[in-house]
Amino acid sequence: MTTDETATTTPPEVPAPDESTPTQLAQSAAYNLGNTIRSSWRFSADNARQHLAHVSPEAKELLLWAFNWCIDPTHPIAFADFCDRIGYNTNTLYKIYSGKYLHPTTKKPMDAPPKLVSALRQFKRLEVTRSKLGRKKFVPTPTASRIFQACDLARESQTPVFVEGASHIGKTEAFKQYCLENNHGKTRLIELEAVSGLHGLVKAVAVVLGISPNGNAADLTERIKRAITPDMVLIFDEVHLLANTYRRGSFFACMEWIRRLYDFCQFGLVLSFTALGFAAAEKERKRELEQIFRRGVHRINLGDRPLKGDVKAVIEAWGLEMPAPADVEEIAIGRGKVLTEEPYKLLDQLAREQGLKAIIERLRYAAKFAADDESDLSWQHVCKAHLVILKNAQSPTTGWEKEAA
């Protein structure tokens, strides 16, 4: 094993598992010994891509897809379990991934067997289907359609596409769904919430691309370049959060790193901001950020709130009809008291002030009330959920008021 291959066997930094059950205790012991799902795949994406250069395009695509799919914490599969699933022993698969699958006589690298390609096709089809069924229901809203369009534009034009929009309108969920529906091993989402500084950014990209994050930024950058192909799309979500550091220059260093990576690899690039984050970046456009902004032709503005069509799609997905502006609901609050609520105005206010997530949470809470009543979900349940959420946010009475008076 070469020095480079040895370096790739170190697992990425992942949080230690909880230890509250016997199964989790076993997982914790394995974690402490370095026996993680990622470490079971004893190679890295950049090396695997090089070692698979001689195999057929379909075999290469499927093998790389399987590698990235199985090391993803969302649906982790150990290397041995993967080999068992597709009916090949671990030694043979390792030789194929590491470029050591040689002809017994000529000693030349051999292509992947047709039987393996067929098994990989079936494995991918089954895994993607299971993932779609297991994910919480995705609602195809008009805003999600525009986000899909942004990703398609990035792939087709191989240029940076800027996406801006308010918080909580479904950007991240739409990006995740796009990756699931359009992956083919070539669409990756980098969520930047926990990233700190340039090195943190580089490590985050490395992990998403299937590269061990251990190493300095320069070495990781070179390996990332080898792992990216022009037909890929990298989606950087919440880019404005890169500015959340004590050094103002760190944000510009991160943006410049992304720009240089794009210039070198010429891939599809999506940069997603909140509306305020994009406005702040635009102020720097004529100075530090001019280079990357000039490379982006397409800009998708999603607006400052969820669209009415977004809300309507979500409402209908929960089995309700969009209320009319004149609709009124009465909610009993005890002791003979009744409050009235106008669902249409309620939705309008929530969309304007809090976003789609606040509406979805009220629907979820309302479904619980409907289940308790053993009845179908109704707008009365939604309005009741809204009132309970408002009441929970109020400061309680202490019980000392009368005595103090």
Side-chain angles (χ1 to χ4, degrees), residues 72-90:
D72 189 328
T74 308
H75 28 66
I77 301 174
F79 184 66
D81 294 334
F82 163 71
C83 295
D84 186 59
R85 287 271 302 274
I86 63 173
Y88 274 78
N89 65 58
T90 56

Side-chain angles (χ1 to χ4, degrees), residues 316-332:
E316 291 176 349
W318 281 81
L320 294 172
E321 292 185 3
M322 189 73 176
D327 287 352
V328 176
E329 295 289 340
E330 293 185 345
I331 306 97

Side-chain angles (χ1 to χ4, degrees), residues 230-299:
D231 57 353
M232 292 177 68
V233 174
L234 295 190
I235 304 168
F236 289 81
D237 192 23
E238 307 281 8
V239 175
H240 53 281
L241 294 181
L242 292 173
N244 292 349
T245 179
Y246 67 94
R247 286 183 57 245
R248 180 174 180 271
S250 179
F251 173 69
F252 303 118
C254 290
M255 294 297 287
E256 177 64 9
W257 182 86
I258 294 173
R259 196 270 302 173
R260 288 176 178 271
L261 182 67
Y262 166 76
D263 283 353
F264 185 87
C265 301
Q266 294 292 300
F267 55 93
L269 174 62
V270 177
L271 300 172
S272 173
F273 300 77
T274 62
L276 290 176
F278 188 82
E282 280 248 284
K283 290 181 180 179
E284 303 290 344
R285 179 171 179 171
K286 296 299 180 183
R287 297 187 295 176
E288 285 90 344
L289 300 182
E290 178 68 10
Q291 292 283 349
I292 193 165
F293 270 93
R294 289 187 65 178
R295 284 157 175 75
V297 177
H298 300 285
R299 171 183 168 187

